[in-house]
Amino acid sequence: MDDATSKSFDHPYTVLGEDPSLVIPPAESRQRPTKVYFGILTSTVFLLSLAGLIVRENPNRAENSIPAAGTAIPESSQDNVRFLPVGEAEGVSAKSYPSTRGRLSFNWTAADFAWQRTSYHFQPEKNWMNDPDGPLFHLGWYHLFYQYNPDSAIWGNITWGHAVSRDMIHWLYLPLAMVPDHWYDIDGVWTGSATILPNGTIIVLYTGDTNEAVQVQNLAYPSNLSDPLLLDWVKYSDNPVITPPTGIETDEFRDPTTAWTGPNGTWYVLVGSRLNTTIGVALVYETLDFKNYTLLDHPLHTVDGTGMWECIDFYPISTNSSVGLDNSATGPEVKHVLKASLDNLKLDYYAIGTYDEGNVTWTPDDPEMDVGIGLQVDYGRYYASKTFYDQNKGRRILWGWVNETDADYDDLAKGWASVQTIPRVVTYDSLTGTNILQWPVEEIESLRLNSTEFEDVFVEAGSLVPLDIGNATQLDISVEFEIESTQALEESMLGETESQLECSVADNRTTLGPFGLAVLADESLSELTPIFFRLVKSNGTLKTLFCVDETRSSKATEVFKEIYGTVVPVLDGEKFTMRILVDHSIVESFAQAGRRVITSRVYPTEAIFDKAKLFLFNNATDLNVTAAIKIWQMNSADIHPFPLY
Amino acid sequence: MKISLNILLSLIFLFPLPLLSPLLPSSSTPNDNAIVSLIDQTCKRTPYEDLCISSLTSNPNRSRAAGVKELAGMVLDSVLLNATDTLAFTRLLIDRTIDPEVERPLDYCAELYIPVVKFTVPQGRDAFYRGQYKFAEYCLTDAARQADACEKMLPGSAVSPMGDRNRIFQQLCSVAVAIIDILSKDQ
């Protein structure tokens, strides 16, 4: 078991003495005055009881299960509203903002709030941010624009914020790129995309909300293409270039995509909308000069029952290589991904399919896994994602907006809201053939400081292993779990009844799970965020659930505490692997090399600063696992204003 | 007439000297002394004085150096030249090697130097001439970081195929930053 190359794991660990079957203590134990000793953890226990002390979000959600089109949405849609409904007063002041849940806010200190700020994820210095916009690479710099409210920590007065980076990790803030200053965007400079033309020209198409709250599409471009910082932008004098066509609601028509080429020099652009209120639709516009557009008489694709499609993204992906493709690429070994942000659910869905260049239509490979009814881009707190082709390194890069899950009044008190994920490289999963893979850009490795490695850690059923690594709030973790062969397990499970495919809470012990890591956990486990696999017998075979359980992430009552999860394919011979980026109040978890991803926001009150710890755990009743884990401490990305003068 | 000859002779000896001065070796002109002095004094205020001096004195434009600003421009030219040379040299090494173990870090280094030569240093120089000194310094620091990343992938400079090129480049960047700093402070 000892391995000379790794930190030898010589801490014995045992199950809690009182009840050998419990790794998690009953609720009452939290009130025991004795400070439980740690050192070699044995005494820690998870709460067993669901009743009593734990205040639950949405107790009606019997669907701790993994719904195909799940609602991990809080009861009030106010909290992750991208834009206020037309006609409603905007720019509500802090004083008049109603308490959305009627629960008392935790008594946060300034230090608590400061801790919540991420150290290596992109976020503005203050105030509200939402959708990423027009990401691109130009003259040595990666650019990120984003929906930004310069005046408040809640949505409103939306502008395009702007930041640049040489490596998509070390960002530098620049002045606002676009503000609402024309009638056609006076109510908001909303989401848009950039297209880089073959001659190097950059054009941006974005949605403007007009003085009459009509959604139109506008053209903008850099005033000086040879400025590597693209500081100044010009809006086309004859905006808008696209207005809502007849038959389309004027407030359900937005988020133009990056354009791609068709035959004879034409370009195509998609704008999202809905038909008959329930049919999500990708409308296609054709143009030669980006100033004059024709609506095609048929959409690229529609899906019944999915509602309004926001932030559509449409891009080619290579099926036989991990190289990224320009938006106009086509070919026999090219498939196309169509993605939409469902306004009804505030979730991002995608499907892989085939693009018919002749008809300008797209068909999913599997109609049962069509856009909006199949796979999600990310199974956690994640929305409005957008990709771009990084011509610098030949990659397809994915950005995603991660809203807060605390209360709006918390955001106003702390003065900021929202972060972006670490940008991810998107490739086709040629092993499954049914999904994309997402992986943090390798540039993130430049933040790695020292690492600690544990090999051959035997984590028997019902045990908890503390990992002594020092600081546990800024981490890059890679872990793999080995179990006895699934075939053997399946045989031994022959007699077992089938179970519901549900993550459930980490303290719910089933035969083959959960096992994983507990991040942002304090020593007494009064707060913790378990990230785990749970194997469940379903439809005659073993399925693997990948889950993040926020229910005990914080003692604060006004924050959302979801259980996020999804089935993840684990192929023959594969170990169960996770990569986890911990960065204060955001955790990004990747299963099976990015086959499924869950982004999570947590706001611990105790497990912060040097009190945050990391644990391995195995709460299964009848399964032992062996873990190999490598943990890097992560440096800050030192995101700051661009040093010009 | 006899008297004026003496005066004439002394005048001939005295006056031609200033007229002949441009034809004499430059190291002995007052203007050049001023430049040498400027270079010395400026380089004293950089972390690598000798490198600074040798880089500046070998610059063909040094006679136009009226002040620190011109020196900064000259060092920036050196930085670009150095990076361009290093990239070319690295590519040569890649062409000549057949051992993949040797080639891999060289490929990595070339990848790092390409944007340095193509974007980083030229943009730093442009920023400098626009008076955006901090932007210029950011570029130089970033360029030095790439050289550092390259160096970390190679065996130590005694056996490294790139010798001490990365180290020299980083030092040159430091010198450039230091001189720009002088300008910022003296403003």
Side-chain angles (χ1 to χ4, degrees):
Chain A
M1 188 164 134
D2 279 340
D3 186 327
T5 61
S6 65
K7 186 165 169 172
S8 76
F9 197 85
D10 53 6
H11 300 290
Y13 48 88
T14 53
V15 177
L16 180 63
E18 307 222 342
D19 181 344
S21 74
L22 288 179
V23 175
I24 303 165
E28 304 74 61
S29 71
R30 286 165 92 214
Q31 286 161 353
R32 281 198 202 117
T34 8
K35 219 174 189 179
V36 190
Y37 51 99
F38 308 114
I40 293 65
L41 112 298
T42 54
S43 60
T44 49
V45 275
F46 292 85
L47 277 167
L48 181 71
S49 169
L50 299 182
L53 296 182
I54 301 173
V55 179
R56 287 233 165 232
E57 293 288 316
N58 302 332
N60 306 334
R61 279 208 355 262
E63 52 296 332
N64 282 344
S65 51
I66 319 300
T71 353
I73 308 303
E75 62 234 22
S76 167
S77 64
Q78 289 276 328
D79 302 280
N80 47 5
V81 67
R82 277 181 69 242
F83 61 97
L84 292 169
V86 173
E88 281 208 8
E90 292 150 340
V92 286
S93 72
K95 287 190 285 287
S96 66
Y97 204 90
S99 160
T100 56
R101 282 181 230 51
R103 274 192 283 265
L104 285 174
S105 173
F106 183 81
N107 203 10
W108 303 103
T109 63
D112 292 334
F113 279 150
W115 180 89
Q116 290 173 10
R117 270 191 80 86
T118 67
S119 101
Y120 59 89
H121 282 72
F122 179 79
Q123 54 180 128
E125 291 177 286
K126 57 179 184 169
N127 291 336
W128 167 274
M129 167 174 69
N130 54 294
D131 309 1
D133 299 315
L136 58 94
F137 177 84
H138 179 67
L139 294 184
W141 293 91
Y142 288 96
H143 290 255
L144 174 68
F145 302 91
Y146 48 95
Q147 298 283 279
Y148 179 64
N149 183 351
D151 301 331
S152 168
I154 55 176
W155 185 94
N157 188 32
I158 287 294
T159 66
W160 270 36
H162 188 190
V164 288
S165 170
R166 308 222 35 126
D167 62 0
M168 284 195 281
I169 297 293
H170 296 88
W171 292 94
L172 301 166
Y173 304 117
L174 287 177
L176 300 177
M178 292 197 285
V179 299
D181 54 7
H182 286 76
W183 68 268
Y184 51 74
D185 61 16
I186 197 73
D187 193 47
V189 181
W190 290 356
T191 298
S193 310
T195 306
I196 303 185
L197 307 187
N199 65 359
T201 310
I202 295 171
I203 66 110
V204 151
L205 287 169
Y206 72 94
T207 299
D209 203 36
T210 70
N211 55 351
E212 289 173 357
V214 173
Q215 294 168 11
V216 298
Q217 317 313 322
N218 302 311
L219 170 66
Y221 46 89
S223 73
N224 178 8
L225 206 60
S226 49
D227 170 17
L229 301 184
L230 298 177
L231 287 174
D232 297 307
W233 289 78
V234 172
K235 294 176 185 175
Y236 175 51
S237 52
D238 232 353
N239 275 332
V241 292
I242 307 178
T243 54
T246 31
I248 292 291
E249 299 157 271
T250 57
D251 60 352
E252 305 290 1
F253 180 68
R254 54 188 178 267
D255 309 335
T257 63
T258 297
W260 72 95
T261 51
N264 305 327
T266 52
W267 289 85
Y268 295 115
V269 169
L270 300 171
V271 179
S273 187
R274 65 183 191 183
L275 304 170
N276 288 344
T277 75
T278 59
I279 305 170
V281 62
L283 300 170
V284 189
Y285 282 87
E286 186 179 51
T287 181
L288 285 168
D289 58 3
F290 291 96
K291 293 171 180 166
N292 300 287
Y293 294 78
T294 313
L295 174 64
L296 292 192
D297 58 10
H298 64 273
L300 182 81
H301 193 62
T302 62
V303 180
D304 281 7
T306 54
M308 171 65 186
W309 281 6
E310 303 189 287
C311 299
I312 290 177
D313 195 7
F314 180 62
Y315 58 90
I317 197 162
S318 167
T319 55
N320 69 343
S321 103
S322 59
V323 161
L325 297 175
D326 170 87
N327 284 60
S328 301
T330 51
E333 249 108 34
V334 172
K335 286 199 167 293
H336 278 69
V337 174
L338 178 62
K339 169 257 161 190
S341 293
L342 298 197
D343 195 13
N344 295 348
L345 301 176
K346 290 297 187 286
L347 296 173
D348 277 12
Y349 281 84
Y350 79 96
I352 301 176
T354 305
Y355 170 57
D356 181 333
E357 278 184 276
N359 294 337
V360 192
T361 54
W362 173 92
T363 321
D365 285 346
D366 180 359
E368 309 217 341
M369 300 292 278
D370 207 341
V371 178
I373 61 174
L375 295 174
Q376 286 174 230
V377 179
D378 185 301
Y379 286 82
R381 181 62 154 181
Y382 184 91
Y383 197 63
S385 61
K386 183 184 290 296
T387 66
F388 75 103
Y389 174 60
D390 168 14
Q391 74 275 26
N392 182 36
K393 293 197 173 177
R395 306 178 284 191
R396 169 79 31 192
I397 304 292
L398 170 72
W399 282 100
W401 165 48
V402 185
N403 198 355
E404 301 297 304
T405 55
D406 60 5
D408 300 298
Y409 45 81
D410 290 329
D411 301 339
L412 289 165
K414 71 192 188 190
W416 60 272
S418 297
V419 305
Q420 301 289 338
T421 62
I422 296 297
R424 302 170 184 169
V425 179
V426 176
T427 52
Y428 177 74
D429 189 349
S430 52
L431 296 175
T432 60
T434 55
N435 54 268
I436 58 174
L437 294 171
Q438 302 166 49
W439 201 242
V441 289
E442 60 182 2
E443 286 89 332
I444 198 182
E445 295 172 22
S446 69
L447 296 177
R448 288 176 171 172
L449 298 168
N450 47 303
S451 69
T452 313
E453 204 165 349
F454 302 89
E455 291 187 16
D456 290 328
V457 184
F458 184 63
V459 194
E460 69 177 344
S463 60
L464 184 62
V465 177
L467 298 171
D468 182 17
I469 51 161
N471 181 292
T473 56
Q474 293 171 211
L475 304 174
D476 181 355
I477 306 170
S478 279
V479 60
E480 54 180 46
F481 297 96
E482 264 188 283
I483 61 175
E484 35 183 314
S485 84
T486 48
Q487 196 182 10
L489 285 175
E490 274 179 10
E491 281 163 20
S492 70
M493 297 261 297
L494 270 175
E496 296 233 358
T497 50
E498 304 242 318
S499 327
Q500 257 213 304
L501 271 180
E502 57 176 316
C503 275
S504 186
V505 289
D507 39 289
N508 180 18
R509 308 189 64 188
T510 52
T511 325
L512 302 177
F515 58 90
L517 287 170
V519 305
L520 296 173
D522 66 332
E523 280 199 275
S524 66
L525 297 183
S526 68
E527 290 180 337
L528 69 160
T529 302
I531 303 165
F532 55 87
F533 291 110
R534 189 193 295 278
L535 276 64
V536 173
K537 184 180 175 189
S538 166
N539 277 355
T541 57
L542 281 181
K543 299 236 175 357
T544 307
L545 292 167
F546 174 56
C547 317
V548 176
D549 174 10
E550 294 178 348
T551 55
R552 293 174 53 190
S553 59
S554 172
K555 287 181 183 160
T557 53
E558 85 280 15
V559 304
F560 303 163
K561 289 177 257 190
E562 307 294 323
I563 301 174
Y564 298 118
T566 171
V567 172
V568 57
V570 177
L571 306 177
D572 270 345
E574 280 185 0
K575 297 183 191 172
F576 298 85
T577 66
M578 291 181 196
R579 175 141 177 224
I580 302 171
L581 299 177
V582 179
D583 186 5
H584 296 261
S585 62
I586 187 171
V587 180
E588 294 187 58
S589 307
F590 300 77
Q592 305 309 108
R595 200 168 275 159
R596 298 290 190 270
V597 192
I598 301 175
T599 301
S600 177
R601 299 299 308 276
V602 291
Y603 308 90
T605 65
E606 307 265 357
I608 60 178
F609 295 114
D610 55 359
K611 297 223 194 70
K613 310 276 175 214
L614 181 67
F615 296 86
L616 267 172
F617 75 94
N618 178 3
N619 229 7
T621 57
D622 201 13
L623 177 75
N624 300 322
V625 307
T626 305
I629 179 167
K630 189 161 186 183
I631 303 143
W632 280 267
Q633 295 289 344
M634 297 295 270
N635 203 353
S636 158
D638 188 30
I639 299 174
H640 59 274
F642 196 100
L644 267 178
Y645 292 96
Chain B
M1 256 169 59
K2 276 186 206 168
I3 312 156
S4 61
L5 181 65
N6 280 334
I7 298 170
L8 193 62
L9 280 172
S10 41
L11 286 174
I12 288 168
F13 280 121
L14 286 171
F15 282 108
L17 285 172
L19 296 172
L20 287 172
S21 62
L23 303 174
L24 294 169
S26 53
S27 58
S28 68
T29 64
N31 182 44
D32 222 56
N33 283 335
I35 289 170
V36 168
S37 167
L38 174 67
I39 291 174
D40 278 348
Q41 282 173 27
T42 307
C43 289
K44 263 193 186 52
R45 296 165 76 180
T46 72
Y48 302 98
E49 188 179 345
D50 291 342
L51 177 65
C52 174
I53 292 173
S54 67
S55 160
L56 288 169
T57 47
S58 64
N59 190 304
N61 294 325
R62 75 176 180 288
S63 56
R64 293 201 217 113
V68 181
K69 191 154 185 214
E70 283 77 16
L71 293 188
M74 285 159 57
V75 176
L76 286 169
D77 288 344
S78 294
V79 170
L80 183 59
L81 200 61
N82 187 293
T84 310
D85 279 351
T86 302
L87 177 58
F89 180 73
T90 309
R91 284 174 155 153
L92 213 62
L93 287 176
I94 291 168
D95 283 342
R96 286 206 307 235
T97 186
I98 49 169
D99 182 355
E101 285 301 307
V102 172
E103 190 180 332
R104 205 169 308 123
L106 290 174
D107 281 337
Y108 181 77
C109 284
E111 289 299 319
L112 291 174
Y113 270 93
I114 289 169
V116 167
V117 169
K118 200 165 153 192
F119 299 124
T120 319
V121 178
Q123 286 175 12
R125 195 176 52 179
D126 288 346
F128 169 75
Y129 284 116
R130 280 196 307 265
Q132 293 172 327
Y133 291 162
K134 286 214 153 44
F135 185 178
E137 289 184 10
Y138 185 88
C139 289
L140 288 161
T141 313
D142 193 64
R145 253 200 293 271
Q146 308 312 308
D148 190 48
C150 161
E151 190 62 18
K152 286 194 162 75
M153 288 301 265
L154 298 166
S157 55
V159 294
S160 161
M162 288 179 72
D164 58 0
R165 279 180 171 73
N166 287 318
R167 188 175 56 84
I168 300 289
F169 178 73
Q170 287 178 71
Q171 291 177 356
L172 211 47
C173 289
S174 297
V175 166
V177 169
I179 298 182
I180 296 174
D181 261 351
I182 293 168
L183 271 175
S184 309
K185 290 203 190 87
D186 292 351
Q187 266 181 340

